[in-house]
Amino acid sequence: MPVISIVQNELAMSLNSLAEQYVKLVLAIGLHHPHYVDAYYGPSDWQPTIKEPLENIQHQVTKLVDTLKKTTPRESETLRHTFLLKQSESILTFIKVISGNAPKFDDESLALYDAVSPSKTESEFDEVLLALEKIVPGDGNLSERMVTFNAQFEIPKSKLDDVFKAAVARSREITKQFIPLADNENFQLEYVTNQIWSGYNWYKGDNFSLIQMNTDFPIYISRAVDLAAHEGYPGHHVFNSLMEKHLVNEKGWMEYCVYPLFSPMSLLAEGSANYGIEVVFPKPERMVFEKEVLFVLAGLDVSQAERYYQVQALMQKLSYADNMVAKRLLDGEISEQHAVDLLVKYTLVSEARATQRLRFIKANRAYVLNYNLGQDIVKAYIEKHANMQDKASVWQVFSDLLANPRPASLLV
């Protein structure tokens, strides 16, 4: 065997060995935090049997990071090496977070998600509120009027299952036109309560997901498509299925058989799931589908749809309010009540829903930026690399990104 082939094989074996160490360390951290391991479908004997002290895990992760930095990958595995290194480095920061030594919001987001949210001021959001003041009817302050306005677009609980299944079926049908999915891919849908999120995908491996929808609060008609695409097609379910197929099964890159929630992978996961809504349902097509199918299934008045979509478009410009509030709260600049007040004002929800969002922020911290900043980063990447006038090109670049994930700093 030529010398160069021997060296390449040794490097591949080295990365495989380091990947196994990484997976076992992620699983070890999972015993210290109930939500750290979001998905795992690797060997059962890699699961830890005892809860190691964080200090021991930290020492092992430090050694892993040092070894990765000294390892020079072959060209075909450069992206793999970079992602494995950033994922491993993020563990060290997460250990600080759960040990009570969390860094400032921006430092935490950079270390965990490889990105920093743009700074937004209240004055920027105030401009959007002024625009909404002109089109949202009713009396009272804008948040109260928005709650009343949205109420007419609430999906009745008795019709929620029909509406959501129709949205999933259509997003699945469209996705399969552009992304080959396994014959056995499937999901189970559950409706749950008492959660801090609106929807969740629990990927179980072998192309199967458990998708849960939280019914603590009203679910409005626009959320049917959002959740169907974000949690299912072409969102989290497809993302995990493609990683399992291309990276774990075909290439044997076992680091992808585990998904640590608080890691660089989440920016791509949440960002692609949010941008995927637009990929599977471009705005004109979405409006037609919602008005002709979902509004009818939900028994809603379609005559108000145009104003609803106009309001939704403006509401999207307030998405970074979450980041602004989370940063101020977690950096100790504002109280929890002030955070709730800001969420009520700038996300235009009831105090009860803002309180639920506060619980999410406290539990997940800088994770909030993965939705809005992640979406914007993925959007910019797709627009740079695809022919946006060609739907097949957009889908090709999008699916390639899902099958070959990269950290935010490499999404250029």
Side-chain angles (χ1 to χ4, degrees):
M1 180 181 294
V3 173
I4 188 170
S5 296
I6 294 174
V7 173
Q8 288 178 342
N9 285 340
E10 288 177 348
L11 285 172
M13 290 174 63
S14 173
L15 274 184
N16 288 341
S17 174
L18 296 173
E20 180 178 337
Q21 292 178 44
Y22 159 79
V23 172
K24 291 178 177 178
L25 289 167
V26 168
L27 295 174
I29 291 290
L31 295 184
H32 289 268
H33 191 285
H35 304 300
Y36 184 60
V37 179
D38 192 72
Y40 178 65
Y41 45 87
S44 58
D45 60 0
W46 285 10
Q47 291 275 17
T49 55
I50 60 171
K51 186 176 181 179
E52 281 195 74
L54 280 175
E55 294 81 1
N56 292 358
I57 301 173
Q58 184 179 30
H59 178 68
Q60 295 175 63
V61 177
T62 300
K63 287 179 62 178
L64 172 61
V65 168
D66 289 343
T67 303
L68 281 166
K69 287 180 176 179
K70 295 173 184 175
T71 303
T72 304
R74 55 185 176 180
E75 187 174 349
S76 61
E77 293 194 342
T78 299
L79 179 56
R80 178 194 184 189
H81 175 267
T82 300
F83 205 36
L84 182 55
L85 175 58
K86 285 191 174 290
Q87 289 287 116
S88 299
E89 288 176 328
S90 74
I91 301 175
L92 295 174
T93 297
F94 189 68
I95 289 174
K96 292 181 181 179
V97 172
I98 60 177
S99 298
N101 299 309
K104 291 289 189 177
F105 184 87
D106 287 343
D107 294 331
E108 178 182 325
S109 72
L110 181 61
L112 290 182
Y113 309 115
D114 197 36
V116 175
S117 179
S119 295
K120 298 287 185 178
T121 63
E122 293 179 36
S123 61
E124 294 177 73
F125 300 130
D126 286 337
E127 294 178 8
V128 182
L129 297 187
L130 284 174
L132 284 165
E133 285 276 5
K134 299 175 182 177
I135 61 172
V136 177
D139 300 318
N141 66 49
L142 183 57
S143 294
E144 293 170 342
R145 286 154 54 196
M146 182 64 75
V147 171
T148 302
F149 174 75
N150 282 332
Q152 64 187 309
F153 302 101
E154 178 184 347
I155 305 171
K157 285 193 175 181
S158 62
K159 299 179 179 181
L160 183 60
D161 193 54
D162 288 341
V163 172
F164 187 69
K165 284 181 176 176
V168 171
R170 183 56 180 151
S171 60
R172 186 186 207 177
E173 178 186 5
I174 296 170
T175 298
K176 290 178 74 172
Q177 293 174 15
F178 298 96
I179 300 179
L181 299 176
D183 292 338
N184 71 329
E185 71 83 16
N186 210 339
F187 66 93
Q188 177 183 343
L189 176 61
E190 289 184 353
Y191 298 93
V192 299
T193 58
N194 195 30
Q195 302 296 330
I196 59 174
W197 36 257
S198 56
Y200 211 104
N201 177 294
W202 305 97
Y203 189 70
K204 303 299 184 179
D206 196 25
N207 303 296
F208 182 79
S209 290
L210 170 63
I211 297 177
Q212 294 181 326
M213 287 184 64
N214 183 14
T215 59
D216 282 340
F217 291 97
I219 297 177
Y220 304 118
I221 192 68
S222 62
R223 294 296 289 158
V225 162
D226 287 351
L227 290 169
H230 182 101
E231 307 298 347
Y233 307 85
H236 293 319
H237 175 67
V238 173
F239 177 48
N240 283 286
S241 294
L242 291 179
M243 283 199 300
E244 182 177 18
K245 174 185 177 181
H246 294 291
L247 302 179
V248 178
N249 294 342
E250 293 178 2
K251 293 185 176 181
W253 293 0
M254 296 304 293
E255 63 267 34
Y256 291 97
C257 74
V258 69
Y259 174 14
L261 189 64
F262 305 99
S263 73
M265 189 180 290
S266 280
L267 184 131
L268 176 59
E270 301 294 2
S272 63
N274 264 2
Y275 183 67
I277 300 169
E278 187 177 331
V279 174
V280 71
F281 282 111
K283 286 183 175 59
E285 296 175 24
R286 174 174 178 163
M287 287 183 63
V288 170
F289 175 67
E290 289 193 358
K291 290 165 69 174
E292 295 184 355
V293 178
L294 300 189
F295 268 74
V296 175
L297 284 173
L300 301 180
D301 180 7
V302 74
S303 69
Q304 293 297 312
E306 293 298 329
R307 179 181 286 180
Y308 181 62
Y309 295 123
Q310 186 182 9
V311 169
Q312 290 299 305
L314 283 171
M315 285 292 296
Q316 183 62 33
K317 297 181 179 182
L318 297 172
S319 68
Y320 278 89
D322 265 6
N323 303 22
M324 178 189 75
V325 173
K327 176 180 169 62
R328 292 185 187 177
L329 175 70
L330 297 173
D331 286 351
E333 298 175 9
I334 59 175
S335 67
E336 290 188 10
Q337 185 57 53
H338 191 179
V340 168
D341 293 341
L342 288 173
L343 288 170
V344 168
K345 179 177 181 179
Y346 289 111
T347 65
L348 299 174
V349 296
S350 66
E351 184 165 349
R353 194 182 282 268
T355 301
Q356 181 202 45
R357 191 58 181 169
L358 177 70
R359 290 169 55 210
F360 183 93
I361 291 171
K362 289 173 62 180
N364 297 292
R365 301 180 56 82
Y367 193 92
V368 295
L369 63 75
N370 291 320
Y371 298 98
N372 41 46
L373 180 60
Q375 178 178 346
D376 287 347
I377 289 175
V378 170
K379 177 181 175 70
Y381 178 87
I382 301 297
E383 290 179 347
K384 179 178 179 179
H385 295 278
N387 176 0
M388 299 305 293
Q389 307 306 313
D390 181 359
K391 185 178 293 187
S393 174
V394 173
W395 274 98
Q396 183 62 56
V397 175
F398 182 76
S399 61
D400 284 348
L401 178 59
L402 299 187
N404 300 281
R406 58 195 67 209
S409 57
L410 295 185
L411 283 170
V412 293

